């Protein structure tokens, strides 16, 4: 490659400050260092966690940054010591690494690699050891990935090599939302055949959770959202009942308890709202109900009455669906290609990188499930 070893100048959408629109800029992307891979990004989804950082978390120390963490691309060049990847390989960047060596990677109980950016830089949601500069300033790499850019540099522990035939403009969704929701149901909740489930929030994450419940054999899946336009899609993924909490004059947990003789076996919160987290827990049946937090928020505490847990319910959380990232993403790509999981049905819009602010607006106003940005050919 003519660009190997050189700084690449390319287009990226830079978030200079919280809440402001992203700006299209020319950035410089340094060559990959020891153990790193430079990737030409082909396509990326826009996930609510990008919006969270911009509009809800708003931690000024996490800016300027290049957002985007749900991408797919092709290896442009590799740094010293990289043997498992070569230029031309199709890859998915991982916001959660898998070094394979830390005590967490070695333990089958968790996917929380200790070498991930989040172990040290959780507060700013970014990796400050960035390879990006713009206007002579370092630009942070959001969630260690930054896919709203034509090129990015990522440590090999956070890159998954995938099938050569995989369509990048679809499998990019496995870099975050779909793996997250699907895994939260099949791995973290451990949905069982014949069980009754409720999914709160029907964005891509929630719809993927519905798909996970269905694939795990749930007999009834309640889809809960305040935006009724989401119900039609939820049906496609296997939801059987549809509830808008705003349409009832009592708590939706009571409605669910009445409809299920005491509450659901599994509930998944896919909104990122502490009130909904509480409601999801309260919607579970006593004795064995399991509620999983999937929605992302770190701006305030949550609360619940202790009796909820004393009565035998379990409250858990899930990052990246509990999947060990590097091992699982290539398999999930195969699952899609073999028809075991759906991806196409999540895609409602396609745009260019220049239209990223429109894509963000679509999500903010609840008009899309996933908008794919085509970054380069
Ligand atoms: P999205 O914005 O597309 O979907 C959120 C849905 O929640 C929308 O349909 C919205 O109408 C609905 N909603 C809002 N308020 C509600 C309420 N009070 N009750 C019921 N439904 C309500 O977002 P997304 O991309 O699907 O992401 C969902 C959440 O998952 C976000 O919080 C995101 O940050 C988080 N997330 C977590 C992980 C993880 O690893 N844990 C990974 C990716 C995303
Ligand atoms: Zn995401």
């Amino acid at each position: 490659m003519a660009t190997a070893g050189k700084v690449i100048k390319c287009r990226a959408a830079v978030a200079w400050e919280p809440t402001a629109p992203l700006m299209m800029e020319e950035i410089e992307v340094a060559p990959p260092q020891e153990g790193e891979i430079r990737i030409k990004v082909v396509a990326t989804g826009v996930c609510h966690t990008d919006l969270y950082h911009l509009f809800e978390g708003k931690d000024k120390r996490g800016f300027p940054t290049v957002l985007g963490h749900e991408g797919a691309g092709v290896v442009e060049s590799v740094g010293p010591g990289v043997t498992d990847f070569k230029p031309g390989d199709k890859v998915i960047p991982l916001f959660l690494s898998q070094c394979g060596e830390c005590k967490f990677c070695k333990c089958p109980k968790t996917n929380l690699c200790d070498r991930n950016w989040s172990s040290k830089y959780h507060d700013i949601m970014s990796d400050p050891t960035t390879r990006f500069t713009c206007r002579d300033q370092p630009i942070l790499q959001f969630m260690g990935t930054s896919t709203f850019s034509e090129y990015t540099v990522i440590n090999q522990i956070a890159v998954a090599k995938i099938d050569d035939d995989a369509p990048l403009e679809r499998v990019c969704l496995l870099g975050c939302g779909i793996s997250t929701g699907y895994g939260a149901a099949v791995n973290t909740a451990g949905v069982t055949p014949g069980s009754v489930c409720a999914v709160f929030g029907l964005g891509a994450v929630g719809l993927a959770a519905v798909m996970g419940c269905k694939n795990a054999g749930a007999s009834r899946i309640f889809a809960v959202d305040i935006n009724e336009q989401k119900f039609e899609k939820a049906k496609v993924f296997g939801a059987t009942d549809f509830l808008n909490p705003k349409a009832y004059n009592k708590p939706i947990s009571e409605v669910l308890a009445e409809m299920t003789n005491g509450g659901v076996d599994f509930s998944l919160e896919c909104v990122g709202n502490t009130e909904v987290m509480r409601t999801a827990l309260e919607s579970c049946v006593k004795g064995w109900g399991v509620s999983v937090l999937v929605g992302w928020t770190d701006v305030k505490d949550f609360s619940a009455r202790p009796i909820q847990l004393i009565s035998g319910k379990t409250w858990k959380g899930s990052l990246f669906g509990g999947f060990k990232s590097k091992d699982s993403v290539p398999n999930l790509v195969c699952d899609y290609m073999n028809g075991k999981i759906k991806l196409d049905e999540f895609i409602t819009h396609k745009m260019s990188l220049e239209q990223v602010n429109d894509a963000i607006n679509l999500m903010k106003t609840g008009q899309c499930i996933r908008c794919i940005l085509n970054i380069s050919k």
Side-chain angles (χ1 to χ4, degrees):
M1 292 263 166
T3 45
K6 296 180 190 153
V7 170
I8 291 181
K9 288 188 179 182
C10 70
R11 291 173 313 129
V14 176
W16 288 102
E17 55 182 334
T19 68
L22 310 190
M23 300 275 288
M24 285 307 299
E25 304 276 2
E26 184 180 81
I27 65 164
E28 293 92 45
V29 181
Q33 297 185 10
E34 178 81 30
E36 294 177 347
I37 300 172
R38 191 159 58 184
I39 297 164
K40 181 180 182 182
V41 181
V42 171
T44 181
V46 178
C47 167
H48 199 108
T49 309
D50 300 309
L51 275 68
Y52 169 81
H53 189 64
L54 197 57
F55 300 112
E56 295 162 50
K58 295 193 289 190
D59 189 329
K60 276 208 160 66
R61 296 167 305 152
F63 293 82
T65 188
V66 172
L67 298 170
H69 60 282
E70 195 176 72
V74 175
V75 173
E76 174 269 338
S77 63
V78 301
V82 176
T83 53
D84 294 347
F85 295 84
K86 59 179 189 313
D89 283 349
K90 284 189 177 176
V91 291
I92 291 183
L94 304 166
F95 74 82
L96 176 60
S97 59
Q98 185 187 353
C99 74
E101 285 162 14
C102 71
K103 74 170 180 183
F104 298 93
C105 279
K106 283 184 175 158
C107 175
K109 290 187 211 171
T110 181
N111 62 347
L112 295 183
C113 173
D114 209 24
R115 281 184 63 195
N116 203 43
W117 58 272
S118 56
S119 302
K120 272 200 208 151
Y121 305 110
H122 169 80
D123 288 352
I124 60 170
M125 288 191 81
S126 297
D127 190 343
T129 57
T130 175
R131 303 285 167 252
F132 293 170
T133 46
C134 180
R135 301 172 191 264
D136 299 321
Q137 275 186 64
I139 307 292
L140 300 173
Q141 284 189 241
F142 180 64
M143 296 180 93
T145 50
S146 290
T147 57
F148 295 171
S149 170
E150 287 180 294
Y151 287 87
T152 187
V153 178
I154 305 178
N155 194 297
Q156 60 181 344
I157 63 172
V159 181
K161 186 169 159 174
I162 59 165
D163 193 294
D164 285 338
D165 294 327
L168 297 177
E169 72 290 354
R170 294 181 205 159
V171 298
C172 59
L173 294 178
L174 291 168
C176 183
I178 312 312
S179 307
T180 294
Y182 185 72
V186 301
N187 300 328
T188 316
V191 171
T192 48
S195 60
V196 177
C197 302
V199 176
F200 292 77
L202 305 172
V205 174
L207 292 171
V210 170
M211 178 167 75
C213 294
K214 162 100 178 162
N215 282 15
S219 61
R220 204 169 173 193
I221 304 167
F222 288 88
V224 185
D225 202 301
I226 52 174
N227 178 353
E228 295 190 11
Q229 285 171 5
K230 307 282 177 125
F231 292 163
E232 209 180 300
K233 265 283 151 105
K235 207 171 194 169
V236 171
F237 290 102
T240 55
D241 298 77
F242 307 88
L243 298 175
N244 176 358
K246 287 190 170 166
Y248 296 85
N249 52 17
K250 56 182 161 188
I252 204 69
S253 54
E254 281 180 29
V255 175
L256 277 163
E258 283 164 16
M259 293 176 81
T260 59
N261 189 23
V264 301
D265 301 306
F266 300 97
S267 69
L268 296 114
E269 198 278 354
C270 304
V271 179
N273 173 317
T274 53
E275 289 303 316
V276 180
M277 291 173 180
R278 178 182 186 143
T279 301
L281 176 68
E282 290 172 350
S283 302
C284 284
V285 67
K286 70 180 180 197
W288 60 75
V290 175
S291 188
V292 180
L293 311 187
V294 193
W296 187 295
T297 184
D298 195 27
V299 286
K300 59 178 176 182
D301 293 349
F302 56 12
S303 60
R305 288 292 172 89
I307 194 70
Q308 290 291 324
L309 301 185
I310 296 167
S311 67
K313 301 181 189 181
T314 303
W315 213 3
K316 329 164 78 168
S318 182
L319 184 69
F320 198 55
F323 284 115
K324 291 211 186 255
S325 58
K326 237 174 126 96
D327 288 348
S328 305
V329 166
N331 295 335
L332 288 163
V333 168
C334 293
D335 286 348
Y336 163 66
M337 292 169 77
N338 297 329
K340 190 178 157 199
I341 59 172
K342 299 181 201 289
L343 287 184
D344 306 1
E345 291 78 356
F346 291 98
I347 302 168
T348 53
H349 298 76
K350 290 176 188 174
M351 291 185 179
S352 66
L353 180 57
E354 280 71 16
Q355 293 169 293
V356 61
N357 291 308
D358 296 336
I360 286 172
N361 208 38
L362 280 177
M363 174 165 275
K364 221 176 157 183
T365 51
Q367 297 178 72
C368 69
I369 300 298
R370 274 296 190 259
C371 177
I372 303 293
L373 303 176
N374 289 303
I375 310 284
S376 48
K377 290 235 169 0

